[in-house]
Amino acid sequence: MVRSVPIDGALWIEGKAGMAAIADPKNKINPDLFYQELIKVLPPYARPVFLRILPVVDTTSTFKIQKTRLRKEGFDLHQTNDRLYFLDSRLGKYIPLDKNVHDAILAGNYHL
């Protein structure tokens, strides 16, 4: 599932970036290998800027994905325990999203 998440405080025209939320109950997804597969099938503008690796995806009783919570939490490290990654286009790979990377994104230090 891919959605746009708000980037508060960022100096952007739209203030949103794509995030893919992936269920990985066995913790087997390798972000580097995932990115290598993405570049084979998606143009640069369509690749998610953020990855969110979840143990399970929350669904409703009719099996629809609960996107509201994911969108609200965005890439805020304080609101989730999920593994978060950021696509560093200079390095050409997803890097773990930590406080330093989070702050750099909000400061506009990354080209997205």
Side-chain angles (χ1 to χ4, degrees):
M1 143 185 45
V2 177
R3 286 284 172 212
S4 294
V5 292
I7 302 179
D8 296 331
L11 303 173
W12 307 33
I13 295 170
E14 293 184 34
K16 292 186 177 187
M19 175 183 279
I22 303 167
D24 184 21
K26 296 184 181 181
N27 202 19
K28 291 187 174 188
I29 289 180
N30 179 324
D32 292 332
L33 296 176
F34 182 74
Y35 181 70
Q36 294 307 312
E37 293 300 316
L38 282 180
I39 62 177
K40 294 176 187 176
V41 296
L42 292 176
Y45 65 85
R47 297 174 196 149
V49 175
F50 297 98
L51 286 182
R52 182 177 186 151
I53 312 297
L54 310 139
V56 294
V57 175
D58 296 335
T59 57
T60 67
S61 60
T62 57
F63 303 104
K64 293 180 182 174
I65 296 172
Q66 295 262 355
K67 295 174 256 187
T68 305
R69 179 183 62 83
L70 298 175
R71 194 176 304 119
K72 180 181 158 270
E73 292 174 359
F75 68 106
D76 186 341
L77 299 170
H78 301 293
Q79 293 193 35
T80 183
N81 291 323
D82 299 332
R83 293 185 299 153
L84 298 172
Y85 295 88
F86 170 72
L87 178 57
D88 186 327
S89 57
R90 289 177 284 185
L91 296 176
K93 67 179 189 173
Y94 285 102
I95 59 173
L97 185 68
D98 60 18
K99 182 176 178 357
N100 292 333
V101 173
H102 183 268
D103 291 348
I105 292 167
L106 294 180
N109 295 336
Y110 279 103
H111 174 71
L112 303 173

